[in-house]
Amino acid sequence: MGGLISGCLGSCCGAAACAGISACCSCNFYLSLPASRAVYTMAIFVATGAALAAKYWGRSISANANESCRYCGDAGVMRIFFGMACLHFLLAVATIGDTRFAAYMHTGFWFAKVVLLTGLLVGGAFLPLRGLLVFGEMCRWVAMLFLLFQVVALIDLAYSWNESWRSRDDELAGEWRWRGSILAVAFALYSVSLAGIPTTHTGLPCWHT
């Protein structure tokens, strides 16, 4: 009896797993827009963690910890993000315009994206050192533009946030609920910023080189 029940449960679980994998591999498998954004964000965090591991602990955890280790040190960081940059560039080109195809590319074809990213990461191992140096120099200039974009986006977020809470404060004349929240958030952000200044000077190695 126990064997029959365990066999039925195993068959059901196996069928469910196969159905889930088939759905992910299918071109008809799409995620919602927030879920897609969460997946892309998680992929960036995973790639960042892998790059940090390759830079600082790559040679200690690699079975081939010698000069031929292609995913160790700064070279490993650039190879990982070369694959990520190529994938996001292709997705940016494929999602140009407000079309149905762009929406499908953004929220679907996950199996193809995983296969493509895997191929790019494997192919990055064969990228010569000269190509890595060119890619690294390009990243320096693109990173500067990206930081400027982030500053503009954060300033716009701060103004929108402040306007939203001030409008709510105007609706509740005489109460300090939203006004106090604005002051508390401003105090917290200023405190974090001031605390981060000595941390960057003492914690980052680039200040000592």
Side-chain angles (χ1 to χ4, degrees):
M1 187 66 180
L4 179 61
I5 295 176
S6 61
C8 293
L9 289 176
S11 300
C12 294
C13 292
C18 291
I21 295 175
S22 299
C24 293
C25 297
S26 174
C27 295
N28 295 325
F29 178 74
Y30 302 103
L31 295 177
S32 63
L33 189 57
S36 300
R37 291 173 178 172
V39 171
Y40 290 128
T41 304
M42 183 180 63
I44 292 176
F45 276 107
V46 171
T48 302
L52 290 174
K55 179 177 177 61
Y56 295 107
W57 307 289
R59 298 192 182 279
S60 61
I61 63 178
S62 175
N64 190 20
N66 50 32
E67 294 299 327
S68 63
C69 180
R70 295 181 178 269
Y71 281 91
C72 299
D74 294 335
V77 175
M78 287 189 286
R79 293 181 195 278
I80 291 173
F81 280 102
F82 173 77
M84 293 292 294
C86 291
L87 175 65
H88 283 85
F89 176 77
L90 293 176
L91 289 177
V93 173
T95 54
I96 293 177
D98 189 9
T99 62
R100 181 174 297 181
F101 175 76
Y104 286 164
M105 286 297 300
H106 183 71
T107 59
F109 301 100
W110 294 104
F111 180 73
K113 292 174 184 177
V114 172
V115 172
L116 178 60
L117 179 59
T118 303
L120 290 171
L121 292 176
V122 173
F126 302 97
L127 191 67
L129 182 59
R130 185 182 299 273
L132 288 178
L133 294 177
V134 173
F135 175 71
E137 192 64 26
M138 291 174 56
C139 290
R140 293 178 186 272
W141 293 97
V142 175
M144 180 181 65
L145 298 176
F146 180 71
L147 288 176
L148 291 176
F149 173 78
Q150 279 188 319
V151 170
V152 173
L154 288 175
I155 292 175
D156 181 70
L157 173 63
Y159 274 100
S160 301
W161 190 356
N162 183 60
E163 290 294 332
S164 175
W165 283 16
R166 284 190 60 185
S167 62
R168 296 182 182 182
D169 179 68
D170 293 337
E171 296 175 359
L172 300 176
E175 295 187 13
W176 273 76
R177 184 187 309 174
W178 293 104
R179 194 175 307 174
S181 300
I182 294 174
L183 294 176
V185 171
F187 177 78
L189 292 177
Y190 274 115
S191 300
V192 172
S193 300
L194 293 175
I197 293 176
T199 303
T200 56
H201 282 75
T202 57
L204 296 181
C206 59
W207 292 96
H208 305 287
T209 56

